[in-house]
Amino acid sequence: MVPHTEDLPGLTMAGRLRTGQVRQLIRLIAEAQEIPANHPERQKHLISGLLRILGAVVGGSVVDCDFRPGGRGAFTAIVLEGWDSTTLPALEVLAQSGSAFNPGLRELMRVSPAHISATTTAMRQELIDDRLWYGSPYVEHHLGPAHLDHALYSTKRGATPSVVHGLGMYRAKNERPFDEEDRSLLHLFHLECESMLRAPTPMIEDVLRAQLPRRERQTLDLLLRGRTDKEIAECLGISRYTVNQYTKSIYRRFGVSSRPMLLARLLGRGSTGNLQRTLRDTLILGK
């Protein structure tokens, strides 16, 4: 078995979808489209409905800005459904330790999609065998005590290679594992509904900025204020060569190749006021 991507043979997944689930999914999407696009209830309705159709206990829609081979993982939740005082600690530890602390997600990070915007959907058992899964600290000390086990994941990559929109669903330990039909349904859901679940661009960029090391974050803030490399070097007390190295690293993080492209991405989005407030809060050079 291999994870689904839209480039794999059998994309239509004929014969791999349960008719009843498909009908429920069509109805769910139609209901969500009746809710205003900017209303948070639309996303909650989609995720809670998906949990019901898949028979999952908990699930969520997130954006992860460090989802790459060797990455730590750094997710920001968009919508979480079903989590309570018993299950939430299993999610909180991933927020603290990084998504890669979950061995299934760590393996999913290593999957190389055929193209940059590919959607990849996988059952846990396709990613990691039972011995490694149940022997991992995450499952033994966090997921198990939360009475969760069977997992189903889907990721869709964005323009920046390390940024993904992710969906994760879990069933209880005493329930049956997800199967190929469940996987196909989640894959179809992600392809059709990602635009309705997508995180706002400012959220993604704020997470990316927060992940930068302190000096690179300071360099970015000064770049956005229109400072030259010489001015940045003088302000931070570093060489122009070091500024150039920081700048190249920033370009890679945001998926751009020049200063104009960086400025267009971060300043040309109709939210300059919010960005300026963020800069005022973060530009503490001695921090």
Side-chain angles (χ1 to χ4, degrees), residues 115-185:
H115 59 80
I116 195 169
S117 62
T119 300
T120 303
T121 309
M123 299 175 283
R124 187 280 300 171
Q125 58 267 34
E126 297 176 283
L127 298 167
I128 184 171
D129 64 34
D130 287 352
R131 180 181 62 84
L132 294 175
W133 175 252
Y134 293 112
S136 69
Y138 177 63
V139 175
E140 183 177 357
H141 300 300
H142 302 283
L143 205 63
H147 307 295
L148 299 174
D149 184 1
H150 313 296
L152 186 60
Y153 306 114
S154 187
T155 60
K156 181 175 178 59
R157 297 184 182 272
T160 303
S162 63
V163 176
V164 301
H165 174 255
L167 297 171
M169 304 283 141
Y170 290 92
R171 282 179 177 159
K173 285 195 291 189
N174 59 344
E175 296 293 331
R176 68 174 179 85
F178 291 104
D179 57 25
E180 290 190 46
E181 286 81 3
D182 296 320
R183 179 187 61 185
S184 297
L185 189 81

Side-chain angles (χ1 to χ4, degrees), residues 221-255:
D221 293 339
L222 291 168
L223 282 170
L224 295 177
R225 289 175 176 266
R227 303 290 180 86
T228 66
D229 285 0
K230 180 181 179 181
E231 290 171 334
I232 294 172
E234 292 174 351
C235 188
L236 299 181
I238 56 179
S239 70
R240 293 179 66 176
Y241 172 79
T242 302
V243 172
N244 183 260
Q245 295 304 110
Y246 287 162
T247 302
K248 288 179 179 179
S249 178
I250 291 166
Y251 290 169
R252 287 193 297 271
R253 174 70 71 176
F254 286 92

Side-chain angles (χ1 to χ4, degrees), residues 71-114:
R72 177 177 177 270
F75 75 87
T76 298
I78 303 172
V79 180
L80 299 175
E81 287 294 311
W83 302 87
D84 58 21
S85 59
T86 300
T87 55
L88 196 57
L91 188 65
E92 291 174 338
V93 72
L94 293 184
Q96 297 166 1
S97 302
S99 307
F101 187 54
N102 177 326
L105 292 176
R106 185 167 62 246
E107 291 302 315
L108 188 57
M109 289 177 179
R110 297 174 181 170
V111 175
S112 298

